[in-house]
Amino acid sequence: MAPVQAPPSQQLPAVQKLRVRFAKRGRLRFTSHRDFQRAFERAVRRAELPVAFSHGFSPHPKISYAGAAPTGAASEAEYLEISLTHERAANQVRAALDEALPPGLDVLEVVVAGAGSLADRLEASEWLIALPGVDVAAASAAVEVFLARDEILVERMTKRGLRSFDCRDAVLRLTVAHEPVPVATCAILQVVLRHGTPAVRPDDVLAGVLEVATLPVTGPALLTRLAQGPLIAASGTVDDPFARDRDATQATATGQAEDHQTHFAEGDAAAPTEP
């Protein structure tokens, strides 16, 4: 029996890399990273995108994920990269993928990848932590105690067992946000976290806050990532990781337009004059 080979289309080289920003909303925040991977690969097939495949005995689509949010957390800033064997317009890819994914997994933006690594740009995240049953005054007092500490140790179960680490060092900014909430008593913490090793998650920060202060949380905290990208250290804020990609695309488009205008003008100059 002849060996099974990958279809020829899977062996075509990648000619374009796209970067995708998507959101996890509503009940879809409970999807795990693996669940989303399966859903996205099905969406790529439904959208009939010419995705590039790796070589070898078990080819797989060239899709890479960066900085995935933990299961149970909502997010407005999840990112991935996908390589294609034929070029496609970014806005058309966004519309096709968004149509193929279920509501709650929403494709927000697609850009053509510029130079540099996307993962290297994801230096920090901004989160909202909604605490039902906690009033703003109690949350503000707890935040003051938290920020006054130099180190706060918390524990979390990992693949390697129970691990203890400092959650305070990764917190660049922690405030009580004034956001509209669906319940009367619900404080919202707004936190900016530096990405590092070990990775400190927003639930680790909440564990640290509860370690130093007693808060009457009456239900599960709702975690929402608002942004993820380059860290602006001076202000403790998070920048847009797609900014350089948009600039590079715009510069390329402008250069092509100018080159087209130049050739058109030269052609006019060279054309014979009507008598």
Side-chain angles (χ1 to χ4, degrees):
M1 182 180 294
V4 178
Q5 296 182 349
S9 61
Q10 295 183 357
Q11 305 302 324
L12 294 175
V15 300
Q16 183 185 45
K17 181 184 287 186
L18 299 176
R19 290 172 175 163
V20 180
R21 177 190 173 196
F22 64 96
K24 291 171 58 178
R25 296 166 171 160
R27 294 194 300 173
L28 272 297
R29 70 181 186 273
F30 295 110
T31 56
S32 68
H33 180 56
R34 186 168 295 181
D35 291 335
F36 176 77
Q37 285 181 304
R38 288 193 290 262
F40 187 76
E41 290 181 14
R42 287 196 296 268
V44 168
R45 291 194 294 270
R46 291 194 190 103
E48 299 182 345
L49 295 182
V51 61
F53 279 75
S54 64
H55 297 272
F57 185 76
S58 300
H60 59 273
K62 289 187 175 181
I63 305 172
S64 59
Y65 304 85
T71 303
S75 178
E76 295 294 316
E78 299 297 287
Y79 294 94
L80 62 83
E81 291 180 318
I82 180 170
S83 297
L84 304 181
T85 59
H86 296 85
E87 291 190 3
R88 292 289 187 270
N91 60 339
Q92 295 177 356
V93 172
R94 190 211 66 79
L97 287 175
D98 192 51
E99 178 68 23
L101 284 167
L105 296 178
D106 304 319
V107 179
L108 305 180
E109 185 177 7
V110 176
V111 298
V112 177
S117 166
L118 174 62
D120 290 343
R121 299 181 193 176
L122 304 182
E123 300 173 330
S125 290
E126 182 178 355
W127 292 86
L128 292 182
I129 307 174
L131 304 177
V134 179
D135 61 39
V136 172
S140 299
V143 165
E144 289 182 7
V145 176
F146 181 94
L147 294 175
R149 299 286 189 91
D150 294 327
E151 181 184 71
I152 300 176
L153 297 179
V154 296
E155 293 182 338
R156 184 187 351 126
M157 185 61 69
T158 67
K159 294 180 181 179
R160 300 181 179 179
L162 191 63
R163 185 171 186 180
S164 177
F165 54 92
D166 176 25
C167 72
R168 174 64 184 88
D169 184 60
V171 176
L172 302 172
R173 181 162 55 87
L174 178 61
T175 59
V176 180
H178 298 282
E179 299 284 343
V181 293
V183 294
T185 304
C186 182
I188 298 181
L189 305 182
Q190 188 167 2
V191 58
V192 175
L193 289 174
R194 180 192 296 110
H195 296 173
T197 305
V200 176
R201 307 186 319 197
D203 50 328
D204 298 324
V205 176
L206 177 57
V209 171
L210 297 177
E211 180 73 22
V212 301
T214 302
L215 293 176
V217 183
T218 59
L222 178 60
L223 313 176
T224 303
R225 173 148 57 190
L226 299 181
Q228 184 179 192
L231 172 64
I232 304 177
S235 58
T237 56
V238 179
D239 203 359
D240 182 0
F242 282 176
R244 280 187 281 174
D245 298 315
R246 293 193 206 92
D247 291 344
T249 300
Q250 184 176 5
T252 300
T254 302
Q256 291 174 345
E258 290 177 349
D259 184 63
H260 175 73
Q261 291 174 359
T262 300
H263 285 302
F264 185 77
E266 289 174 349
D268 284 351
T273 306
E274 293 287 342

